[in-house]
Amino acid sequence: MTNLSRSEAFRQVMRRVPSPVTVVTAATPAEMRGITIGSFTSVSLNPPLISFNVSHKSRMHAVLLEVERFAVHLLRAEQVYLSQRFAEAGLSGSEQFAGLAYRLDGYGTPILEGVLAVLLCRPYSKLEAGDHTIFVGEVCEIETSEDGSPVLYYNRAYRAIGETLAPGPVIDHEAPAP
C-alpha cells in the first residue's frame, strides 16, 4: 500500500471493517428524505444514544440540521433494495419513498415498514468532523419486529451474518509471552 495515497490506503483498510446497514429518515415541512448509513453505532445506554456520520454534501445533511425527530431503521438481510434506494444519488425525496411501504409518525417522520427495528430519535448533539458531521441522537422510542438477520456491508458488498465462532482458548495473563 506504499504507492497509494493516505486517503486511498485508509479507504482500503476501512473496507475490511464490516458495517451495519441502516436507513435514516426525517422530514421538514418542505420534504421528507432518507439516507443509507454505514457508520451507525450505539454511544450510551443512559441516556440511550446512537450516532452516525453524514457528508456535508448530502442533501440529508441540511434536513438533519433542521428536524426535531428522525428515525434509524435496521434493515433485514432481504432488504438490500432499501439500502440501494436510499443510497441512489439524484433522487428527490418523493422519488426515494415512491412505491415503498411507510407511514408517518406524529412528528411527520417517515417510518419504513417491515424492518428489523426502528429507533425514533431526537437530536442530541452534533460534531463537525472533516467533511462530515457526526450526528448523535437520543432514542425516544423503539419499535421491533420478529427476529431476522441484519444486512451488513463488507468489502464493497452486502453480506448476511455468518456462522457463530468459538471464543477460543482462555489466555493465561500470568504466563510469560512465548
Side-chain angles (χ1 to χ4, degrees):
M1 281 199 216
T2 57
N3 294 335
L4 300 174
S5 70
R6 184 171 62 163
S7 87
E8 184 55 34
F10 181 65
R11 180 177 292 137
Q12 287 189 11
V13 167
M14 293 310 296
R15 286 180 183 145
R16 297 177 184 175
V17 178
S19 301
V21 178
T22 62
V23 169
V24 173
T25 60
T28 67
E31 74 171 331
M32 61 183 189
R33 292 205 65 81
I35 186 171
T36 299
I37 298 290
S39 59
F40 173 77
T41 191
S42 64
V43 174
S44 169
L45 290 176
N46 189 20
L49 302 175
I50 55 87
S51 73
F52 55 88
N53 311 325
V54 178
S55 169
H56 294 157
K57 294 178 184 177
S58 166
R59 288 192 267 176
M60 186 64 162
H61 189 270
V63 171
L64 287 167
L65 292 174
E66 189 177 332
V67 298
E68 293 180 34
R69 293 284 197 265
F70 58 85
V72 179
H73 303 80
L74 283 65
L75 302 183
R76 297 176 177 282
E78 58 272 12
Q79 292 177 315
V80 168
Y81 69 94
L82 289 173
S83 174
Q84 292 170 323
R85 169 75 66 93
F86 288 100
E88 190 173 336
L91 292 182
S92 69
S94 59
E95 290 171 327
Q96 287 184 316
F97 289 92
L100 299 181
Y102 71 93
R103 61 183 164 73
L104 300 179
D105 74 359
Y107 292 91
T109 307
I111 309 297
L112 300 172
E113 301 290 349
V115 297
L116 275 177
V118 181
L119 303 174
L120 301 160
C121 303
R122 68 176 183 88
Y124 185 82
S125 67
K126 61 185 182 307
L127 173 68
E128 297 305 312
D131 58 359
H132 282 64
T133 299
I134 301 169
F135 288 93
V136 178
E138 181 176 2
V139 178
C140 300
E141 295 177 50
I142 300 171
E143 298 178 7
T144 60
S145 61
E146 67 275 0
D147 287 338
S149 187
V151 61
L152 300 174
Y153 196 75
Y154 172 72
N155 201 15
R156 296 196 254 182
Y158 291 101
R159 312 282 179 153
I161 297 286
E163 62 187 77
T164 301
L165 301 176
V170 175
I171 298 173
D172 181 357
H173 297 286
E174 305 279 326

PDB file of all heavy atoms in Angstrom, residues 97-123:
ATOM      1  N   PHE A  97     -39.173   7.547  -1.674  1.00  0.00           N
ATOM      2  CA  PHE A  97     -40.223   6.803  -0.983  1.00  0.00           C
ATOM      3  C   PHE A  97     -41.267   6.194  -1.924  1.00  0.00           C
ATOM      4  O   PHE A  97     -42.119   5.429  -1.469  1.00  0.00           O
ATOM      5  CB  PHE A  97     -40.905   7.711   0.047  1.00  0.00           C
ATOM      6  CG  PHE A  97     -40.026   8.022   1.215  1.00  0.00           C
ATOM      7  CD1 PHE A  97     -39.226   9.164   1.211  1.00  0.00           C
ATOM      8  CD2 PHE A  97     -39.957   7.178   2.307  1.00  0.00           C
ATOM      9  CE1 PHE A  97     -38.386   9.462   2.282  1.00  0.00           C
ATOM     10  CE2 PHE A  97     -39.123   7.460   3.379  1.00  0.00           C
ATOM     11  CZ  PHE A  97     -38.341   8.599   3.368  1.00  0.00           C
ATOM     12  N   ALA A  98     -41.205   6.507  -3.214  1.00  0.00           N
ATOM     13  CA  ALA A  98     -42.199   6.025  -4.173  1.00  0.00           C
ATOM     14  C   ALA A  98     -42.256   4.497  -4.172  1.00  0.00           C
ATOM     15  O   ALA A  98     -41.239   3.826  -4.300  1.00  0.00           O
ATOM     16  CB  ALA A  98     -41.878   6.542  -5.569  1.00  0.00           C
ATOM     17  N   GLY A  99     -43.446   3.960  -3.978  1.00  0.00           N
ATOM     18  CA  GLY A  99     -43.658   2.519  -4.033  1.00  0.00           C
ATOM     19  C   GLY A  99     -43.254   1.761  -2.787  1.00  0.00           C
ATOM     20  O   GLY A  99     -43.383   0.533  -2.748  1.00  0.00           O
ATOM     21  N   LEU A 100     -42.760   2.435  -1.760  1.00  0.00           N
ATOM     22  CA  LEU A 100     -42.344   1.764  -0.533  1.00  0.00           C
ATOM     23  C   LEU A 100     -43.455   1.810   0.512  1.00  0.00           C
ATOM     24  O   LEU A 100     -44.244   2.753   0.556  1.00  0.00           O
ATOM     25  CB  LEU A 100     -41.092   2.432   0.047  1.00  0.00           C
ATOM     26  CG  LEU A 100     -39.841   2.425  -0.810  1.00  0.00           C
ATOM     27  CD1 LEU A 100     -38.693   3.115  -0.068  1.00  0.00           C
ATOM     28  CD2 LEU A 100     -39.450   1.020  -1.207  1.00  0.00           C
ATOM     29  N   ALA A 101     -43.499   0.789   1.364  1.00  0.00           N
ATOM     30  CA  ALA A 101     -44.453   0.756   2.470  1.00  0.00           C
ATOM     31  C   ALA A 101     -43.868   1.569   3.624  1.00  0.00           C
ATOM     32  O   ALA A 101     -42.817   1.220   4.164  1.00  0.00           O
ATOM     33  CB  ALA A 101     -44.713  -0.683   2.901  1.00  0.00           C
ATOM     34  N   TYR A 102     -44.541   2.666   3.964  1.00  0.00           N
ATOM     35  CA  TYR A 102     -44.104   3.503   5.080  1.00  0.00           C
ATOM     36  C   TYR A 102     -45.323   4.219   5.644  1.00  0.00           C
ATOM     37  O   TYR A 102     -46.382   4.287   5.034  1.00  0.00           O
ATOM     38  CB  TYR A 102     -43.020   4.497   4.654  1.00  0.00           C
ATOM     39  CG  TYR A 102     -43.517   5.618   3.769  1.00  0.00           C
ATOM     40  CD1 TYR A 102     -43.926   6.831   4.323  1.00  0.00           C
ATOM     41  CD2 TYR A 102     -43.586   5.464   2.393  1.00  0.00           C
ATOM     42  CE1 TYR A 102     -44.383   7.853   3.524  1.00  0.00           C
ATOM     43  CE2 TYR A 102     -44.045   6.482   1.588  1.00  0.00           C
ATOM     44  CZ  TYR A 102     -44.446   7.678   2.149  1.00  0.00           C
ATOM     45  OH  TYR A 102     -44.909   8.681   1.354  1.00  0.00           O
ATOM     46  N   ARG A 103     -45.147   4.774   6.835  1.00  0.00           N
ATOM     47  CA  ARG A 103     -46.169   5.592   7.475  1.00  0.00           C
ATOM     48  C   ARG A 103     -45.459   6.793   8.088  1.00  0.00           C
ATOM     49  O   ARG A 103     -44.237   6.802   8.202  1.00  0.00           O
ATOM     50  CB  ARG A 103     -46.913   4.796   8.545  1.00  0.00           C
ATOM     51  CG  ARG A 103     -46.014   4.312   9.670  1.00  0.00           C
ATOM     52  CD  ARG A 103     -46.756   3.448  10.703  1.00  0.00           C
ATOM     53  NE  ARG A 103     -45.844   2.708  11.550  1.00  0.00           N
ATOM     54  CZ  ARG A 103     -45.090   3.216  12.524  1.00  0.00           C
ATOM     55  NH1 ARG A 103     -45.168   4.509  12.795  1.00  0.00           N
ATOM     56  NH2 ARG A 103     -44.286   2.470  13.239  1.00  0.00           N
ATOM     57  N   LEU A 104     -46.229   7.793   8.469  1.00  0.00           N
ATOM     58  CA  LEU A 104     -45.669   8.965   9.128  1.00  0.00           C
ATOM     59  C   LEU A 104     -46.001   8.894  10.611  1.00  0.00           C
ATOM     60  O   LEU A 104     -47.139   8.594  10.979  1.00  0.00           O
ATOM     61  CB  LEU A 104     -46.232  10.253   8.525  1.00  0.00           C
ATOM     62  CG  LEU A 104     -45.972  10.462   7.030  1.00  0.00           C
ATOM     63  CD1 LEU A 104     -46.605  11.766   6.567  1.00  0.00           C
ATOM     64  CD2 LEU A 104     -44.485  10.444   6.721  1.00  0.00           C
ATOM     65  N   ASP A 105     -45.015   9.171  11.470  1.00  0.00           N
ATOM     66  CA  ASP A 105     -45.305   9.207  12.908  1.00  0.00           C
ATOM     67  C   ASP A 105     -45.884  10.576  13.266  1.00  0.00           C
ATOM     68  O   ASP A 105     -46.141  11.407  12.389  1.00  0.00           O
ATOM     69  CB  ASP A 105     -44.055   8.850  13.731  1.00  0.00           C
ATOM     70  CG  ASP A 105     -43.005   9.949  13.777  1.00  0.00           C
ATOM     71  OD1 ASP A 105     -43.194  11.026  13.163  1.00  0.00           O
ATOM     72  OD2 ASP A 105     -41.975   9.742  14.445  1.00  0.00           O
ATOM     73  N   GLY A 106     -46.093  10.830  14.545  1.00  0.00           N
ATOM     74  CA  GLY A 106     -46.692  12.078  14.992  1.00  0.00           C
ATOM     75  C   GLY A 106     -45.876  13.318  14.681  1.00  0.00           C
ATOM     76  O   GLY A 106     -46.398  14.433  14.719  1.00  0.00           O
ATOM     77  N   TYR A 107     -44.596  13.157  14.367  1.00  0.00           N
ATOM     78  CA  TYR A 107     -43.738  14.281  14.002  1.00  0.00           C
ATOM     79  C   TYR A 107     -43.593  14.422  12.488  1.00  0.00           C
ATOM     80  O   TYR A 107     -42.837  15.267  12.018  1.00  0.00           O
ATOM     81  CB  TYR A 107     -42.345  14.115  14.628  1.00  0.00           C
ATOM     82  CG  TYR A 107     -42.367  14.243  16.128  1.00  0.00           C
ATOM     83  CD1 TYR A 107     -42.551  13.112  16.932  1.00  0.00           C
ATOM     84  CD2 TYR A 107     -42.220  15.479  16.750  1.00  0.00           C
ATOM     85  CE1 TYR A 107     -42.586  13.226  18.314  1.00  0.00           C
ATOM     86  CE2 TYR A 107     -42.256  15.596  18.124  1.00  0.00           C
ATOM     87  CZ  TYR A 107     -42.446  14.465  18.903  1.00  0.00           C
ATOM     88  OH  TYR A 107     -42.483  14.585  20.266  1.00  0.00           O
ATOM     89  N   GLY A 108     -44.276  13.565  11.742  1.00  0.00           N
ATOM     90  CA  GLY A 108     -44.160  13.580  10.289  1.00  0.00           C
ATOM     91  C   GLY A 108     -42.965  12.813   9.776  1.00  0.00           C
ATOM     92  O   GLY A 108     -42.650  12.863   8.589  1.00  0.00           O
ATOM     93  N   THR A 109     -42.283  12.084  10.649  1.00  0.00           N
ATOM     94  CA  THR A 109     -41.109  11.299  10.249  1.00  0.00           C
ATOM     95  C   THR A 109     -41.559  10.043   9.518  1.00  0.00           C
ATOM     96  O   THR A 109     -42.380   9.288  10.038  1.00  0.00           O
ATOM     97  CB  THR A 109     -40.285  10.888  11.482  1.00  0.00           C
ATOM     98  OG1 THR A 109     -39.983  12.050  12.251  1.00  0.00           O
ATOM     99  CG2 THR A 109     -38.998  10.186  11.077  1.00  0.00           C
ATOM    100  N   PRO A 110     -41.036   9.795   8.319  1.00  0.00           N
ATOM    101  CA  PRO A 110     -41.399   8.561   7.620  1.00  0.00           C
ATOM    102  C   PRO A 110     -40.778   7.341   8.307  1.00  0.00           C
ATOM    103  O   PRO A 110     -39.583   7.337   8.610  1.00  0.00           O
ATOM    104  CB  PRO A 110     -40.838   8.753   6.210  1.00  0.00           C
ATOM    105  CG  PRO A 110     -39.939   9.935   6.263  1.00  0.00           C
ATOM    106  CD  PRO A 110     -40.165  10.656   7.542  1.00  0.00           C
ATOM    107  N   ILE A 111     -41.619   6.336   8.544  1.00  0.00           N
ATOM    108  CA  ILE A 111     -41.196   5.092   9.183  1.00  0.00           C
ATOM    109  C   ILE A 111     -41.388   3.964   8.171  1.00  0.00           C
ATOM    110  O   ILE A 111     -42.521   3.692   7.751  1.00  0.00           O
ATOM    111  CB  ILE A 111     -42.029   4.800  10.456  1.00  0.00           C
ATOM    112  CG1 ILE A 111     -42.060   6.007  11.398  1.00  0.00           C
ATOM    113  CG2 ILE A 111     -41.532   3.534  11.130  1.00  0.00           C
ATOM    114  CD1 ILE A 111     -40.725   6.421  11.947  1.00  0.00           C
ATOM    115  N   LEU A 112     -40.288   3.318   7.780  1.00  0.00           N
ATOM    116  CA  LEU A 112     -40.348   2.211   6.823  1.00  0.00           C
ATOM    117  C   LEU A 112     -40.946   0.980   7.504  1.00  0.00           C
ATOM    118  O   LEU A 112     -40.591   0.665   8.644  1.00  0.00           O
ATOM    119  CB  LEU A 112     -38.950   1.897   6.286  1.00  0.00           C
ATOM    120  CG  LEU A 112     -38.247   3.046   5.564  1.00  0.00           C
ATOM    121  CD1 LEU A 112     -36.809   2.677   5.254  1.00  0.00           C
ATOM    122  CD2 LEU A 112     -39.007   3.429   4.302  1.00  0.00           C
ATOM    123  N   GLU A 113     -41.815   0.299   6.809  1.00  0.00           N
ATOM    124  CA  GLU A 113     -42.480  -0.891   7.358  1.00  0.00           C
ATOM    125  C   GLU A 113     -41.641  -2.143   7.120  1.00  0.00           C
ATOM    126  O   GLU A 113     -40.920  -2.243   6.134  1.00  0.00           O
ATOM    127  CB  GLU A 113     -43.861  -1.063   6.702  1.00  0.00           C
ATOM    128  CG  GLU A 113     -44.810   0.105   6.897  1.00  0.00           C
ATOM    129  CD  GLU A 113     -45.314   0.253   8.329  1.00  0.00           C
ATOM    130  OE1 GLU A 113     -45.100  -0.661   9.154  1.00  0.00           O
ATOM    131  OE2 GLU A 113     -45.923   1.295   8.620  1.00  0.00           O
ATOM    132  N   GLY A 114     -41.737  -3.102   8.042  1.00  0.00           N
ATOM    133  CA  GLY A 114     -41.150  -4.425   7.851  1.00  0.00           C
ATOM    134  C   GLY A 114     -39.669  -4.546   8.145  1.00  0.00           C
ATOM    135  O   GLY A 114     -39.063  -5.573   7.836  1.00  0.00           O
ATOM    136  N   VAL A 115     -39.061  -3.534   8.739  1.00  0.00           N
ATOM    137  CA  VAL A 115     -37.638  -3.600   9.058  1.00  0.00           C
ATOM    138  C   VAL A 115     -37.436  -4.330  10.388  1.00  0.00           C
ATOM    139  O   VAL A 115     -38.391  -4.577  11.118  1.00  0.00           O
ATOM    140  CB  VAL A 115     -37.001  -2.194   9.091  1.00  0.00           C
ATOM    141  CG1 VAL A 115     -37.076  -1.536   7.716  1.00  0.00           C
ATOM    142  CG2 VAL A 115     -37.660  -1.312  10.139  1.00  0.00           C
ATOM    143  N   LEU A 116     -36.194  -4.672  10.714  1.00  0.00           N
ATOM    144  CA  LEU A 116     -35.900  -5.363  11.975  1.00  0.00           C
ATOM    145  C   LEU A 116     -36.255  -4.508  13.182  1.00  0.00           C
ATOM    146  O   LEU A 116     -36.810  -4.996  14.164  1.00  0.00           O
ATOM    147  CB  LEU A 116     -34.412  -5.705  12.068  1.00  0.00           C
ATOM    148  CG  LEU A 116     -33.950  -6.983  11.425  1.00  0.00           C
ATOM    149  CD1 LEU A 116     -32.437  -7.115  11.563  1.00  0.00           C
ATOM    150  CD2 LEU A 116     -34.641  -8.176  12.021  1.00  0.00           C
ATOM    151  N   ALA A 117     -35.902  -3.234  13.133  1.00  0.00           N
ATOM    152  CA  ALA A 117     -36.186  -2.332  14.245  1.00  0.00           C
ATOM    153  C   ALA A 117     -36.121  -0.895  13.754  1.00  0.00           C
ATOM    154  O   ALA A 117     -35.468  -0.598  12.755  1.00  0.00           O
ATOM    155  CB  ALA A 117     -35.184  -2.543  15.380  1.00  0.00           C
ATOM    156  N   VAL A 118     -36.817  -0.035  14.498  1.00  0.00           N
ATOM    157  CA  VAL A 118     -36.778   1.397  14.239  1.00  0.00           C
ATOM    158  C   VAL A 118     -36.469   2.085  15.558  1.00  0.00           C
ATOM    159  O   VAL A 118     -37.115   1.812  16.571  1.00  0.00           O
ATOM    160  CB  VAL A 118     -38.121   1.933  13.688  1.00  0.00           C
ATOM    161  CG1 VAL A 118     -38.022   3.432  13.408  1.00  0.00           C
ATOM    162  CG2 VAL A 118     -38.550   1.181  12.443  1.00  0.00           C
ATOM    163  N   LEU A 119     -35.473   2.949  15.531  1.00  0.00           N
ATOM    164  CA  LEU A 119     -35.138   3.780  16.684  1.00  0.00           C
ATOM    165  C   LEU A 119     -35.606   5.197  16.360  1.00  0.00           C
ATOM    166  O   LEU A 119     -35.099   5.824  15.422  1.00  0.00           O
ATOM    167  CB  LEU A 119     -33.636   3.764  16.948  1.00  0.00           C
ATOM    168  CG  LEU A 119     -33.022   2.383  17.164  1.00  0.00           C
ATOM    169  CD1 LEU A 119     -31.511   2.489  17.268  1.00  0.00           C
ATOM    170  CD2 LEU A 119     -33.603   1.720  18.391  1.00  0.00           C
ATOM    171  N   LEU A 120     -36.590   5.657  17.101  1.00  0.00           N
ATOM    172  CA  LEU A 120     -37.114   7.009  16.905  1.00  0.00           C
ATOM    173  C   LEU A 120     -36.330   7.933  17.822  1.00  0.00           C
ATOM    174  O   LEU A 120     -36.304   7.726  19.039  1.00  0.00           O
ATOM    175  CB  LEU A 120     -38.602   7.036  17.197  1.00  0.00           C
ATOM    176  CG  LEU A 120     -39.398   6.084  16.299  1.00  0.00           C
ATOM    177  CD1 LEU A 120     -40.738   5.758  16.900  1.00  0.00           C
ATOM    178  CD2 LEU A 120     -39.533   6.658  14.916  1.00  0.00           C
ATOM    179  N   CYS A 121     -35.674   8.920  17.241  1.00  0.00           N
ATOM    180  CA  CYS A 121     -34.700   9.729  17.977  1.00  0.00           C
ATOM    181  C   CYS A 121     -34.993  11.213  17.863  1.00  0.00           C
ATOM    182  O   CYS A 121     -35.596  11.671  16.904  1.00  0.00           O
ATOM    183  CB  CYS A 121     -33.307   9.485  17.404  1.00  0.00           C
ATOM    184  SG  CYS A 121     -32.766   7.781  17.411  1.00  0.00           S
ATOM    185  N   ARG A 122     -34.500  11.931  18.857  1.00  0.00           N
ATOM    186  CA  ARG A 122     -34.451  13.386  18.779  1.00  0.00           C
ATOM    187  C   ARG A 122     -32.971  13.761  18.727  1.00  0.00           C
ATOM    188  O   ARG A 122     -32.124  13.058  19.295  1.00  0.00           O
ATOM    189  CB  ARG A 122     -35.162  14.044  19.954  1.00  0.00           C
ATOM    190  CG  ARG A 122     -34.500  13.873  21.279  1.00  0.00           C
ATOM    191  CD  ARG A 122     -35.250  14.648  22.379  1.00  0.00           C
ATOM    192  NE  ARG A 122     -34.556  14.514  23.637  1.00  0.00           N
ATOM    193  CZ  ARG A 122     -33.573  15.304  24.053  1.00  0.00           C
ATOM    194  NH1 ARG A 122     -33.156  16.289  23.304  1.00  0.00           N
ATOM    195  NH2 ARG A 122     -32.989  15.101  25.220  1.00  0.00           N
ATOM    196  N   PRO A 123     -32.644  14.851  18.042  1.00  0.00           N
ATOM    197  CA  PRO A 123     -31.244  15.274  18.002  1.00  0.00           C
ATOM    198  C   PRO A 123     -30.715  15.543  19.408  1.00  0.00           C
ATOM    199  O   PRO A 123     -31.394  16.154  20.231  1.00  0.00           O
ATOM    200  CB  PRO A 123     -31.281  16.557  17.179  1.00  0.00           C
ATOM    201  CG  PRO A 123     -32.524  16.441  16.352  1.00  0.00           C
ATOM    202  CD  PRO A 123     -33.499  15.708  17.225  1.00  0.00           C
TER     203      PRO A 123
END
